Amino acid sequence: MIISMQKPLEEILESLAGETNVYIVGCGECATVTQTGGEEQVAEMKARLEEAGKKVVATDVAHAACHELDMKRIFRQNKDAATAADAFLVLSCGAGAQSVREGTSKHVVPGTNSLFVGNVKRQMVFEEKCSLCGECLLDEYGTICPVTRCAKGILNGPCGGTNNGKCEVDSEKDCAWVLIYNQLKSEEKLDKFMTIHGPKRWNAVQRPGRIDGRAADEEKGAA
Amino acid sequence: MSKYREACASGKFVVSGEIGPPKGTDVEAMVHHIDLLKDLVDGLNVTDNQSAVMRLGSMAVSHEIVTRGGDAIYQVTCRDRNRLAIQNDLLSAHFLGIRNVLALTGDHVSVGDHKDAKEVYDFESVQLIQAIKRMNEGFDWAGNELQGATDFFIGAVVTPESDPIEPQKLKFEKKVAAGAQFFQTQAVYDMDNFQRFMEYARGVTEGKDVKIMAGLVVLTSVGMAKYMNKFVPGVFVPDDLLEEMASVPKEEALHKGMEICARHIRFCRDNKVCDGVHIMAIGKEEIVPDILRMAEII
Ligand code: SF4
Ligand code: SF4
């Protein structure tokens, strides 16, 4: 899930300076769970913008704001509002905002900061465990990702800063390498710890990533 | 062969000091420290943006030490450069006559003075050791043949007081396997603990030519000792040393710290606990000659 946080209202208003008619877009997936762009937050934002003298011409909580075809469909259905709008305020992640970008040529304002791909520990508690590196190494590490959960992304064991099992960078966080050690030990697989891993292939995926799965599907269909 | 490497090979008790490059162009104090120490020790470490604080570079200062007739242990961290830059730096350092490298992962930028910098860590210490070894064998990391191999003496660090210690030990073993030829430890103060660590380490390096130097940071006050216990991961100052530091008036604390350091040097040497020491006086390098005298090194 993409973890996002709303930007401060002042920053949003600054971006919307000189524009009156605003179309607010939320997201029914991640931004709903993180309470940054669900139905409730979109309604709240509408009230705050109106208080600040804006006119909210429409609000829509897309099923998933990152789905570009959906987004275009929504704007087609809401053509009048989309035409009346001076700007679109997007309360989803940066991907959602750019999906709105594909659906309009008008000013699109991101209303959140996108933080990380996070696991939901419990309601409103999120932790980053995967950073989408393009080549998953988890099986080497007891399924605890050193690329993401070690502050230095070290692939070969703890740095000298591990402190009572906590990370030197943030004493609130566990040292990933102590977790990995304990896990591999409990699985009796410490030999994996002893493997010397080379540096990551950072270009396992060329950024920006793009996959066109249609060709593969067609091949499958033909077979 | 570099002087430091020669000292390690000779079987003598090896002593190194440390130079911290300044933040700025005023190098007077640093050059003074270099001249003061270069002939008294076997080598001088040069820190690389230590604690993630931007400073004058370790390669330039290492070169200066070599030019002045001393020997430099060039510290290289993986925080600020990717694999292209690090290998490029290593070739440049070699060109400048630098022959000893200490491979470090490096403190995180969040502890330094450019907290919004992008940390790199493309390599980390174990991989850096491997990379230097490959360059010594005539190849770069990508497997391309070098037009002339490097001849580096490869060093690494280990934290004997790490908590927990087990994963740290395994990492030490990986560094040995990757090709580290000498180690300088994180600061150690509890000689019983250190002796136990060394028994273990000797077991790991048995049959291999690997030298291990005790890292000694001079205590300057009881407050500093307590601070290290509290805030520096992997450093442990035992109670009896805290008491010893507290037993003297403030103005004599530095001298007490020097005495303790000299005592630890003698202990390591006389009991053949390790192969040498690495003395860190952190900005007070002018006291190092006195410590060496107190320890009967010079
Ligand atoms: S190795 Fe880590 S960052 Fe890479 S895909 Fe696996 S979990 Fe994600
Ligand atoms: S303390 Fe552990 S998690 Fe933190 S940087 Fe060091 S090895 Fe990584």
Side-chain angles (χ1 to χ4, degrees), chain B residues 234-246:
Chain B
V235 175
F236 165 63
V237 186
D239 285 345
D240 54 336
L241 287 190
L242 290 176
E243 279 162 28
E244 200 178 337
M245 287 302 291

Side-chain angles (χ1 to χ4, degrees), chain A residues 79-100:
Chain A
K79 205 164 171 234
D80 291 347
T83 311
D86 301 317
F88 291 73
L89 173 65
V90 189
L91 298 177
S92 74
C93 61
Q98 291 179 76
S99 168
V100 174

Side-chain angles (χ1 to χ4, degrees), chain A residues 149-152 154 157-159 161-162 166-169 174-177:
Chain A
R149 296 173 71 182
C150 165
K152 300 177 187 171
I154 301 175
C159 72
T162 162
K166 297 292 176 185
C167 174
E168 69 163 350
V169 175
D174 292 327
C175 168
W177 271 101

Side-chain angles (χ1 to χ4, degrees), chain B residues 13 216 261-269 279 291 295 297:
Chain B
F13 192 74
L216 302 177
C261 185
R263 190 168 78 219
H264 288 169
I265 297 173
R266 281 198 305 270
F267 178 84
C268 288
R269 181 191 55 199
I279 304 166
I291 295 173
I297 294 282

Side-chain angles (χ1 to χ4, degrees), chain A residues 151-152 154-165 168-169 178 181 190 193-200 202, chain B residues 83 105-108 110 119 121-124 126-127 130 141 159 162-164 166-168 170-171 173-174 177-178 233:
Chain A
K152 300 177 187 171
I154 301 175
L155 299 182
N156 284 299
C159 72
T162 162
N163 202 1
N164 272 315
E168 69 163 350
V169 175
V178 173
Y181 174 83
L190 278 178
F193 195 111
M194 293 311 294
T195 307
I196 296 182
H197 298 279
K200 271 203 73 64
W202 287 114
Chain B
R83 66 190 84 174
T105 296
D107 293 326
H108 196 267
S110 63
E119 64 272 357
Y121 302 119
D122 185 17
F123 279 154
E124 25 88 325
V126 175
Q127 296 156 354
Q130 275 190 320
W141 185 261
T159 306
S162 195
D163 176 23
E166 283 310 317
Q168 179 71 207
L170 296 187
K171 180 141 188 203
E173 291 170 31
K174 288 172 89 163

Side-chain angles (χ1 to χ4, degrees), chain A residues 9-72:
Chain A
L9 186 65
E10 307 81 73
E11 190 183 333
I12 292 174
L13 288 175
E14 207 171 294
S15 296
L16 290 171
E19 292 161 335
T20 310
N21 299 330
V22 183
Y23 191 135
I24 306 177
V25 180
C27 171
E29 293 282 351
C30 308
T32 292
V33 176
T34 58
Q35 300 182 9
T36 41
E39 295 283 0
E40 243 177 77
Q41 295 77 40
V42 166
E44 268 167 29
M45 181 57 75
K46 177 174 189 273
R48 288 160 82 195
L49 290 188
E50 282 171 351
E51 217 170 279
K54 305 286 175 194
K55 184 163 184 257
V56 175
V57 294
T59 62
D60 258 308
V61 175
H63 172 64
C66 55
H67 203 302
E68 296 186 358
L69 290 178
D70 262 4
M71 214 52 164
K72 285 181 183 161

Side-chain angles (χ1 to χ4, degrees), chain A residues 159-161 168, chain B residues 50 104 107 156-162 168 183-189 191 194 197 212-217 228 231-236 278 280 282:
Chain A
C159 72
E168 69 163 350
Chain B
Q50 192 172 28
L104 302 153
D107 293 326
V157 295
V158 60
T159 306
E161 293 282 7
S162 195
Q168 179 71 207
F183 282 85
Q184 296 174 343
T185 74
Q186 168 63 293
V188 288
Y189 292 99
M191 288 297 123
F194 181 57
F197 174 82
I212 302 174
M213 270 55 84
L216 302 177
V217 173
M228 298 235 284
F231 295 111
V232 186
V235 175
F236 165 63
H278 175 61
M280 292 164 272
I282 314 186

